[in-house]
C-alpha cells in the first residue's frame, strides 16, 4: 500500500459529504429532493437552447440582476447571483468568517449550512429547535457573542417545514446587533400561505445587516440549471462577488431564470396546486394520528424519531423515495399527482412504527 502524503485539513477529512437522499429507483416517485413536479415554465426551454454554449457567460449575470432589481425594488448593485442559493451561502461564509469566528444557526435546519461553516474554517453554534421544529429565535439572540460573525435563518425551515411569521422575525432582527449579518434563506418562500407571511426584501431598507437569499430551484422548477441570488447591502455583495467562483451561472441558466420571471400567473397557478395538495395530504396524515408542523414549503415533515429508517423503508416499498434524517424525521416532497395517494397510504402503513 502506498502511504498517503497529501494532508487534508482535519475538519475537512472528518466532514461527511452532502447527502442528497435517494436519487432513483425503477418506477418510484422522487420525493426526496423537494423538486418541482411541473415542467419548466413556458419559453424556458427555448431560452436555454438559444444561449451560446461556446462563449463564457456574463460573469455578473447583469441582465438577470436588472430583472431581479426591478422585481424587488432595489438597485442592481444590491443583487448578487450564483449557482443556487447554497453557493451564495458558501460565498457569504467564506467572505465573512474564518478561524475563531462563530456562526449561529438552528440545530435542525438545512444540512448544507454546517458544511459551509466548516469549509470557511469557522465554528457552528447550534441552537436547539423549539418543540415542533421551529427556530428558537430568542435562543439564537442569546447565543450571540463577541465571536459571532453571522446568523443563519431558514424560513420556511428545511427540513421541518415551519415558516417564521413576519411579526416574529421583525422582533428578532430588531434585537440583532447591527454589525452581525443575518442570512435569511427564503428558498421556499413562494409556498408560504400563512396569515402573517415573512417577506425578507421588505425589511432590507431598515436593516443593512440583513441579506435575503432566494432560489429558482424550487417554485420555478429550475433545480437542474442552478440559479440563486441574494439581496442586500451593495458593498457587502461586492465583496461576496470577489470570493465567488467565476461563471457559476451559465448563459443557459441566466436565460432560463429571466424567462421564468415573465410568467408570474402560471407560476402562481403551479404553486397553488402544490400548496393545495400539501394541505390535503397534511390533513389526511393528521387524521391518521401524525403530529405535523404547519408546512410553509413544498413538502411535509413527519417526526419519526428512532423509527426513521424503518419508516423510510415503508415509503420505498410503496414506490416513494423520501428524505430520511436518522433518528429525527422524514421529509416528503409534494410531487406528481399520482404520488399523493401513495404518500397517504405509506404513512398509514408506517404509523404503527412510530406510535408503538
Amino acid at each position: 500500500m502506498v502511504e498517503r502524503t497529501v494532508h487534508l485539513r482535519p475538519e475537512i477529512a472528518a466532514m461527511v459529504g452532502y447527502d442528497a437522499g435517494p436519487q432513483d429507483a425503477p418506477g418510484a416517485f422522487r420525493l426526496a429532493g423537494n423538486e418541482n413536479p411541473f415542467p419548466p415554465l413556458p419559453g424556458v426551454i427555448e431560452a436555454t437552447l438559444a444561449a451560446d454554449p461556446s462563449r463564457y457567460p456574463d460573469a455578473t449575470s447583469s441582465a438577470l440582476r436588472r430583472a431581479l432589481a426591478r422585481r424587488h425594488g432595489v438597485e442592481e448593485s444590491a443583487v448578487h447571483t450564483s449557482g443556487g442559493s447554497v453557493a451564495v451561502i458558501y460565498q457569504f461564509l467564506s467572505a465573512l468568517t474564518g478561524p475563531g469566528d462563530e456562526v449561529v444557526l438552528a440545530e435542525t435546519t438545512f444540512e448544507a449550512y454546517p458544511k459551509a461553516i466548516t469549509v470557511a474554517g469557522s465554528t457552528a453554534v447550534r441552537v436547539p429547535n423549539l418543540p415542533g421544529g421551529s427556530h428558537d429565535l430568542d435562543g439564537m439572540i442569546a447565543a450571540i457573542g463577541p465571536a459571532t460573525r453571522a446568523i443563519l435563518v431558514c424560513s420556511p425551515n428545511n427540513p421541518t417545514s415551519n415558516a417564521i411569521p413576519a411579526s416574529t422575525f421583525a422582533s428578532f432582527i430588531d434585537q440583532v446587533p447591527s454589525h452581525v449579518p443575518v442570512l435569511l434563506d427564503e428558498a421556499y418562500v413562494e409556498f408560504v400561505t400563512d396569515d402573517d407571511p415573512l417577506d425578507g426584501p421588505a425589511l432590507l431598507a431598515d436593516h443593512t445587516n440583513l441579506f435575503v437569499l432566494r432560489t429558482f430551484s424550487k417554485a420555478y422548477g429550475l433545480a437542474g440549471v442552478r440559479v440563486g441570488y441574494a439581496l442586500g447591502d451593495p458593498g457587502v455583495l461586492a465583496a461576496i462577488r470577489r470570493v465567488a467562483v467565476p461563471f457559476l451561472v451559465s448563459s443557459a441558466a441566466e436565460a432560463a431564470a429571466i424567462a421564468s420571471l415573465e410568467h408570474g400567473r402560471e407560476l402562481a397557478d403551479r404553486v397553488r396546486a402544490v400548496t393545495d395538495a400539501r394541505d390535503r395530504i397534511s390533513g389526511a396524515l393528521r387524521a391518521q394520528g401524525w403530529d405535523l408542523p404547519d408546512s410553509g414549503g413544498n413538502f411535509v415533515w413527519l417526526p419519526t424519531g428512532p423509527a426513521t429508517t424503518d419508516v423510510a423503508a415503508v415509503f420505498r416499498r410503496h414506490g416513494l423515495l423520501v428524505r430520511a434524517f436518522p433518528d429525527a424525521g422524514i421529509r416528503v416532497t409534494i410531487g406528481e399527482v399520482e404520488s399523493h395517494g401513495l404518500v397517504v397510504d405509506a404513512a398509514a402503513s408506517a404509523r404503527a412504527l412510530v406510535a408503538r
Side-chain angles (χ1 to χ4, degrees):
M1 173 181 275
V2 177
E3 183 180 356
R4 189 179 74 184
T5 57
V6 175
H7 294 277
L8 299 174
R9 286 166 48 196
E11 64 272 27
I12 300 299
M15 187 173 71
V16 177
Y18 180 78
D19 182 1
Q23 296 297 296
D24 200 12
F29 289 98
R30 288 174 39 150
L31 307 183
N34 292 344
E35 296 159 320
N36 195 311
F38 294 101
L41 287 159
V44 168
I45 297 297
E46 293 80 0
T48 60
L49 293 176
D52 185 355
S54 70
R55 302 290 182 178
Y56 284 111
D58 176 354
T60 63
S61 307
S62 55
L64 175 57
R65 289 171 60 215
R66 283 194 297 271
L68 291 169
R70 289 193 298 270
R71 172 168 293 254
H72 293 292
V74 298
E75 297 295 323
E76 184 180 337
S77 59
V79 184
H80 169 62
T81 58
S82 195
S85 55
V86 67
V88 178
I89 292 165
Y90 272 78
Q91 293 159 10
F92 261 99
L93 295 181
S94 294
L96 296 173
T97 75
D101 295 334
E102 295 179 348
V103 180
V104 175
L105 71 162
E107 177 70 36
T108 303
T109 190
F110 184 30
E111 63 181 309
Y113 295 162
K115 301 180 192 308
I117 294 168
T118 298
V119 170
S122 48
T123 301
V125 177
R126 299 172 185 248
V127 177
N129 298 60
L130 296 172
S134 297
H135 280 52
D136 180 0
L137 295 179
D138 290 337
M140 296 175 84
I141 291 291
I144 297 173
T148 303
R149 296 294 177 267
I151 302 175
L152 296 173
V153 177
C154 187
S155 180
N157 188 40
N158 176 16
T160 63
S161 80
N162 321 77
I164 300 173
S167 54
T168 302
F169 186 83
S171 175
F172 163 77
I173 192 69
D174 283 343
Q175 298 176 68
V176 177
S178 60
H179 69 277
V180 176
V182 175
L183 311 186
L184 173 61
D185 187 347
E186 292 190 312
Y188 300 94
V189 68
E190 292 88 355
F191 300 102
V192 176
T193 56
D194 295 350
D195 294 334
D196 187 20
L198 174 58
D199 178 20
L203 301 174
L204 290 173
D206 295 325
H207 299 280
T208 58
N209 62 328
L210 176 63
F211 297 88
V212 179
L213 282 56
R214 292 194 174 181
T215 185
F216 285 87
S217 295
K218 307 304 180 184
Y220 288 93
L222 297 182
V225 299
R226 314 306 301 132
V227 190
Y229 62 98
L231 306 171
D233 178 78
V236 174
L237 293 186
I240 300 306
R241 277 189 282 278
R242 291 197 291 271
V243 305
V245 175
F247 309 118
L248 275 185
V249 179
S250 69
S251 298
E254 182 178 13
I258 293 171
S260 295
L261 290 173
E262 298 172 357
H263 295 280
R265 181 174 299 177
E266 292 95 332
L267 177 71
D269 289 343
R270 293 179 177 192
V271 167
R272 189 177 306 109
V274 170
T275 56
D276 286 350
R278 176 198 69 197
D279 294 344
R280 287 194 303 271
I281 291 172
S282 295
L285 300 189
R286 289 192 178 99
Q288 295 173 0
W290 290 95
D291 183 16
L292 307 181
D294 290 329
S295 177
N298 65 335
F299 57 94
V300 295
W301 172 251
L302 299 177
T304 50
T308 294
T309 300
D310 292 337
V311 171
V314 171
F315 274 82
R316 194 178 189 100
R317 288 197 293 272
H318 280 75
L320 306 169
L321 303 181
V322 296
R323 184 70 172 86
F325 294 81
D327 297 320
I330 300 285
R331 191 188 68 198
V332 185
T333 306
I334 305 303
E336 293 81 357
V337 171
E338 296 80 6
S339 71
H340 297 173
L342 295 174
V343 169
V344 176
D345 292 344
S349 297
R351 179 66 192 139
L353 296 173
V354 178
R356 61 169 99 160

